[in-house]
Amino acid sequence: MLAKRIIPCLDIKDGKTVKGINFVNFRDAGDPVELGKAYSAQGADELVYLDITASHEGRKTFTDLVRRVAANVNIPFTVGGGINEMGDVDRLLGAGADKVSVNSAALRRPELITEIARNFGSQVCVVAIDAGWENGEWRCYLNGGRVPADRELFSWAEEAQNRGAGEILFTSMTHDGVKEGYANEALARLNERLSVPVIASGGAGRMEHFRDAFRIGKADAALAASVFHFGEIPIDGLKAYLEKENICVRR
């Protein structure tokens, strides 16, 4: 059995780590370089860095900040935000990223996924999907949850996989920051329909929520932000808890 991964996420706004609720009402969560360094030392399996306003503001991800974070971590490092073309991918990989995460640009031009996979390999391409539960279905959003897209979660995830995505990072906007658990039913449906790993995001508040994302949602990895940033759940304690729950984690 493949070990489940625990992934802290650095949501970056104006060069600082922030955390919101339902993608709004952001508060400062600390210096991204120091947080990344701490998570790497604490036993996180990977680190995700998302420049959450790059697409909305029509600019590129802060390359220098990516380089500084990468220099302080020794775990796989995924970077997203403002990635629109092969030059962006090349620049971020050159700055120290191991993978890139694409969301808005991929929804606007799905061929981008194919191009990244063809030029850099599927293992480099993470397709992030921000979706909210609306009128009985999961609808996708662009620009950090600001702009509705005419796409449905499951069909879009399948298309992303077929185009070469190596992983799907699904964030439930409905659950984000609420700390009442992940969207486990949707995660389980994604697991049934996809053959690539699925990363759960949005809703972690207690250790039991991670257990349920793995056991009920069948997720391959669980991503969280505020519970780690504000010291509510220690990564080593979380892994010890999951081991007691007979969930295989990396140690």
Side-chain angles (χ1 to χ4, degrees):
M1 177 187 293
L2 287 176
K4 304 297 188 180
R5 291 170 286 151
I6 302 299
I7 307 177
C9 181
L10 305 177
D11 289 327
I12 308 298
K13 185 176 186 289
D14 301 324
K16 296 180 180 179
T17 310
V18 298
K19 185 56 196 153
I21 298 175
N22 303 133
F23 282 42
V24 294
N25 300 322
F26 295 106
R27 58 175 170 151
D28 191 349
D31 177 73
V33 177
E34 292 304 314
L35 283 171
K37 185 177 181 179
Y39 293 142
S40 182
Q42 290 168 18
D45 298 304
E46 299 187 18
L47 182 68
V48 169
Y49 167 119
L50 299 177
D51 190 328
I52 61 173
T53 57
S55 292
H56 181 64
E57 294 170 1
R59 59 169 174 77
K60 306 297 186 183
T61 300
F62 295 119
T63 310
D64 181 60
L65 185 53
V66 170
R67 186 176 290 110
R68 287 165 50 212
V69 173
N72 284 277
V73 302
N74 57 9
I75 53 178
F77 181 36
T78 300
V79 176
I83 297 170
N84 300 295
E85 57 191 15
M86 292 305 96
D88 298 328
V89 180
D90 195 47
R91 172 173 53 83
L92 293 169
L93 294 178
D98 299 288
K99 311 176 195 177
V100 295
S101 170
V102 291
N103 186 339
S104 301
L107 278 164
R108 292 190 178 100
R109 192 172 70 84
E111 295 79 11
L112 178 64
I113 301 168
T114 310
E115 293 167 6
I116 295 172
R118 184 182 297 137
N119 284 276
F120 299 98
S122 289
Q123 78 282 354
V124 166
C125 185
V126 178
V127 172
I129 304 176
D130 298 333
W133 179 252
E134 300 170 6
N135 301 316
E137 62 181 355
W138 287 97
R139 304 305 303 179
C140 301
Y141 275 75
L142 304 141
N143 290 24
R146 295 175 180 84
V147 180
D150 188 23
R151 299 301 300 259
E152 179 269 341
L153 168 63
F154 303 105
S155 60
W156 172 232
E158 279 192 297
E159 180 178 340
Q161 173 185 267
N162 294 339
R163 287 183 175 275
E167 290 182 287
I168 299 296
L169 167 55
F170 162 52
T171 300
S172 166
M173 296 170 57
T174 306
H175 294 70
D176 176 70
V178 180
K179 298 185 178 181
E180 294 182 355
Y182 294 93
N184 294 318
E185 183 180 337
L187 286 165
R189 286 182 63 190
L190 284 171
N191 178 267
E192 289 174 7
R193 295 178 66 159
L194 303 176
S195 59
V196 298
V198 175
I199 303 169
S201 172
R206 303 194 310 273
M207 291 187 185
E208 293 85 349
H209 296 154
F210 290 85
R211 176 200 64 195
D212 292 346
F214 295 136
R215 188 173 288 164
I216 301 170
K218 312 295 184 185
D220 298 276
L223 178 148
S226 60
V227 292
F228 297 142
H229 299 340
F230 303 117
E232 296 165 34
I233 297 178
I235 291 172
D236 57 349
L238 173 59
K239 288 192 170 187
Y241 165 80
L242 291 171
E243 283 185 325
K244 289 180 180 177
E245 291 289 324
N246 297 313
I247 292 170
C248 180
V249 294
R250 298 174 182 177
R251 296 290 270 173

